[in-house]
Amino acid sequence: MRPSQRQADELRPIRLTRHYTRHAEGSVLVEFGHTRVLCTASVEESVPPFLRGKGQGWVTAEYGMLPRATHTRSAREAAKGKQSGRTQEIQRLIGRSLRAVVDLSALGERQITVDCDVLQADGGTRTAAITGACVAVHDALGRLLAEGKLTESPLRDFVAAVSVGIYRGTPVLDLDYDEDSDCDTDMNVVMTGAGGFVEVQGTAEGTPFSRAELDSLLGLAEQGIARLIEIQKAALAA
Amino acid sequence: MRPSQRQADELRPIRLTRHYTRHAEGSVLVEFGHTRVLCTASVEESVPPFLRGKGQGWVTAEYGMLPRATHTRSAREAAKGKQSGRTQEIQRLIGRSLRAVVDLSALGERQITVDCDVLQADGGTRTAAITGACVAVHDALGRLLAEGKLTESPLRDFVAAVSVGIYRGTPVLDLDYDEDSDCDTDMNVVMTGAGGFVEVQGTAEGTPFSRAELDSLLGLAEQGIARLIEIQKAALAA
Amino acid sequence: MRPSQRQADELRPIRLTRHYTRHAEGSVLVEFGHTRVLCTASVEESVPPFLRGKGQGWVTAEYGMLPRATHTRSAREAAKGKQSGRTQEIQRLIGRSLRAVVDLSALGERQITVDCDVLQADGGTRTAAITGACVAVHDALGRLLAEGKLTESPLRDFVAAVSVGIYRGTPVLDLDYDEDSDCDTDMNVVMTGAGGFVEVQGTAEGTPFSRAELDSLLGLAEQGIARLIEIQKAALAA
Amino acid sequence: MRPSQRQADELRPIRLTRHYTRHAEGSVLVEFGHTRVLCTASVEESVPPFLRGKGQGWVTAEYGMLPRATHTRSAREAAKGKQSGRTQEIQRLIGRSLRAVVDLSALGERQITVDCDVLQADGGTRTAAITGACVAVHDALGRLLAEGKLTESPLRDFVAAVSVGIYRGTPVLDLDYDEDSDCDTDMNVVMTGAGGFVEVQGTAEGTPFSRAELDSLLGLAEQGIARLIEIQKAALAA
Amino acid sequence: MRPSQRQADELRPIRLTRHYTRHAEGSVLVEFGHTRVLCTASVEESVPPFLRGKGQGWVTAEYGMLPRATHTRSAREAAKGKQSGRTQEIQRLIGRSLRAVVDLSALGERQITVDCDVLQADGGTRTAAITGACVAVHDALGRLLAEGKLTESPLRDFVAAVSVGIYRGTPVLDLDYDEDSDCDTDMNVVMTGAGGFVEVQGTAEGTPFSRAELDSLLGLAEQGIARLIEIQKAALAA
Amino acid sequence: MRPSQRQADELRPIRLTRHYTRHAEGSVLVEFGHTRVLCTASVEESVPPFLRGKGQGWVTAEYGMLPRATHTRSAREAAKGKQSGRTQEIQRLIGRSLRAVVDLSALGERQITVDCDVLQADGGTRTAAITGACVAVHDALGRLLAEGKLTESPLRDFVAAVSVGIYRGTPVLDLDYDEDSDCDTDMNVVMTGAGGFVEVQGTAEGTPFSRAELDSLLGLAEQGIARLIEIQKAALAA
């Protein structure tokens, strides 16, 4: 039924490749099917002005898409001279999601910046980015532990994200581009390992959705995210 | 219990003043307590380039806040030379919400731009904006009907929005600034008169929220929006 | 003779509403007929870099127009990413006019920023803005006096402004939009309560004007401003 | 009495050098004492979008200052990425002044852009620019006449400008930088050869000025501009 | 002697991976040691305005570096709102190099845009980009041939690039980051398969270089580029 | 054979006018035939942030072209809001060239900014700029010596630049605009008085160039620059 031939509650093949590039303290290539996002976590020993002297750290994120990550080339944001509203919305979402699981006081006066750059897009880039970024932050914190700059990891839980939507009347998990382009309702859900919700963002693209539909989408997302967090744990155990 | 002394499920006093300014085809001052937003709907007899020749119209929104609408003055976006990520996120939300209830084919090749400018802010500016903008669009379409440019209104339903959140452990409706600054979870919900969901955007500011909390917030929002839509209808009947 | 039916030396109905919004230290809605400008004065306990450590304060102004304040919608400056030359010219004029009556040394190392935002435009927005801003500054200084931060008001005099022009051969006072669009010479005059000139800006839109015409325009302006200053005083006495 | 040793009503040495550069249709170096401005008039066979198909032309101006035209280096506007409010104000003034003496219908659907670039600044750059620009426009129109594109010059009159001010209590003509920095009132006046006023812009830098002072400044300006127009005529006769 | 232990005339391990991403008509990951650049070639069936109707095509390039491609994170150009001078210099160089081997008339009225995005930087990103971009353009043209839009490839020759420099007194080929940071003279050379020079850009970082040094650097570059072109041919034969 | 009637190895008439403007510490008008560039060197008693406290100075350059320096008017970069890639490339080149001959440690913690503004363009503006800038820097350093701020000049050598190219098959020196527009290969060479190369930038506009052609171009440049440095010395002796 789905263009991707998947079951309604089936994720795409998920892959997390750690240490994908050399320089960043954390560097993870995350793949949700054909969607590929490079997540690097960079540690800086200072905080933004609004936090100076407050004895806590900060985690923030930036998001970008290579111009030809998509079916047709889109203009380079650096050349246009500004980031689109969509880009800003996504990077704010990633930042908030990560801060939900990092104890900023335990981090101390330093900042972690996670860059999520989409090398290839096939739907779900923001949810893949959050899922990969969590592992990249883990690895960057591991570096601080190894260097003795921290004695305990400030990462309090895992965080992962998935999209769900109503595709031709049926709630489905983890939409790819073809499904996303043709679905009525699209929801991005971010949850922790403990099963708490961090973000729920649902949008009716066409017909408004009912409470019952909303409930079944949330159920699918809960399952999918539980599975993603198992995959994150396995990647870290490797 | 609430700083505002309101019941958990009590809206602030809501006021919709139509024809607030002279030039716009639709012009509504919406007040949610001390929050005051001027919503003007402007009709333009052309569509943006991506829609030319497709036989349909467009509805879009822009959002702004006067520099001293807030407790402390914030820099003017026109002077800084760019709109913040927050502004862009809000104006995209308003636009999507309005398009959910306007039949763009029935509108014909014209565009309605709704400007939502916050004169005074006390929490909930985006939900007030959506609630007022719906009435402003109604009035602008009324002008097109009166001029014989349309024979039937393309407005298929009402749309309104409210915020809900968990304030010190209790789910409450329609947060003002003091409540919003001190709440754990903040959710903005947009619904139609028919009771369909258009947008659900929930964010855990501190502790992640549970499925049960999410359910009770949605229940509060459903009630609150039903009441807002009654108020919209009353304003139009006046 | 005038489209507005007014006498040549007759002002439009003028209204000054103090305390129009809650947050600003001074907040005045000024109306010159259908022209409505919200003037808020914000106090900040620091000065711009070029004045640091010089023992004096600063007064500055910003000006904006809501996109649909005008007959047809104009693009939002924050969205275009820059302020027009006209906007900058006007806000520089307002700032200079206010500084002419504020003793900056007596103000101490603090800054007052006046935001003049046009809610509805019908000609004369800059002159209305100056006239309203003076009262907003008065109220903001009153707040500093009440808080004991100042012991004497640094406001040395009143300042108000009006436009004059030659409409179909006749010098007239306080042009509205219809008159302004169709006049040969347009002059904005800013004066103090003591009758001194702060700014005189006259422009021939079509035919150059003679010295005699200039003289009669200045006479009209002197009368009009004297009347505006009485209205300011009455508003403060209320 | 004046730092420059000049009489109160004495202009600085004025020089107009035509054909200063090779490529522009009109190219004039204007000097008011040490102030040197290069004015080039460029003809383009099209008009800006708002005038297309209206059967008339346009005259516009741009103004710039080389970074080290001044006593201390000021930042390059191209590097900062925007023109200052002062720059915009001046270039709008130059454009309006020139349009006051060019018959835009007689010009036909073409545009003349005058670039006024200050090579060395010593006060009065905008008045020098207007005075030189008039001659550059004359020469550019002369080229169109010579090429047979026009049969009659659309230049209806001369236009020139001068500054006047109250320096230590005395009204003086054509202020240089030292006088300008230390004067109470500064006025720029633009007039035609026929003695009509095109622009009058007076600003009280310190104490407001009286009607009597205004009158004596206007008188000085009238004399000074009459002399400048003689110099323009002499330059064209050469 | 070299930090990399390589012989003076030894290239780093070079790898060209074709079809690295799915959507672009040509997509090549090029590696010069640890330097990794993703080069995608996108075909668009139109040309920039300055070429419309001239019966020829265009090839252009854009260059970017992921923020953490480098040892320490550099600010994202899209966030800063402008591309650096270095970025612009490099993308202009890549574009010119490619146009040297593409017959623009034979290409027809279409444009190929090559995006060169550095995933990991270790010196020589611009030379790697040119070398990979040539293969990506080849593949994009191959697609046009396969689709019957072209009957003959407009690629007239190969083009590749390498850096050479004087490292502690010795001319060496293909500098990595450590060598580049510590060398006196740095030269980038671009050549065709036929052995013609397309670009030579040499810069003395410290002491100026002599004609003899220049000659030996050119010799090294000629050898290195001949080897790179063999590698390109092998990649296309695979 | 050359449009300019010059011998292949003949420079245009070169003129260096020192003290061209009053305010800058060094101010030189350089002319290469009809190309005229004003080079001003400004001394500032501070260094950019990246050099603070390092006990050394900095030399940097900015480049601009007046809009009508060229045959047809080009848009003003300050009005467009950004500098072109070409401008940035040139100003980086000028800065590097000057730093090659200034001992930055001997300069002390101060910065020299050289502004090179093209008043009239006829090819070779960047090479003229470098040649003139060297003299302007000399004069600015002379001022520091005269004021006792330096006891020895940090200028270690002269630096000058010239373009060479292959015009219709023949290598020629110092191309003017007509030659430059119609030449196959264009090379800019920067050298010191001691005969060392600082920059070599050669570009094949059409057919790639051979090693033999490159060699003969370098020979021409060596001769031309030796002559330019004699002219610089003569100007300083005057």
Side-chain angles (χ1 to χ4, degrees), chain D residues 20 22 25 68 73 115, chain F residues 20 25 68 73 115 120:
Chain D
Y20 188 73
R22 303 168 65 81
E25 285 75 28
R68 196 55 195 280
R73 186 176 184 272
D115 288 287
Chain F
Y20 189 73
E25 285 74 28
R68 195 55 195 280
R73 186 176 184 274
D115 289 287
Q120 189 169 276

Side-chain angles (χ1 to χ4, degrees), chain C residues 155-200:
Chain C
L155 194 67
R156 293 289 172 255
D157 198 347
F158 286 80
V159 66
V162 79
S163 70
V164 284
I166 297 174
Y167 179 78
R168 307 204 172 169
T170 307
V172 296
L173 179 67
D174 187 23
L175 296 90
D176 62 25
Y177 178 81
D178 286 339
E179 292 163 352
D180 189 41
S181 315
D182 191 25
C183 88
D184 281 325
T185 291
D186 179 18
M187 186 175 303
N188 292 295
V189 180
V190 183
M191 296 180 74
T192 60
F197 288 89
V198 172
E199 292 272 343
V200 173

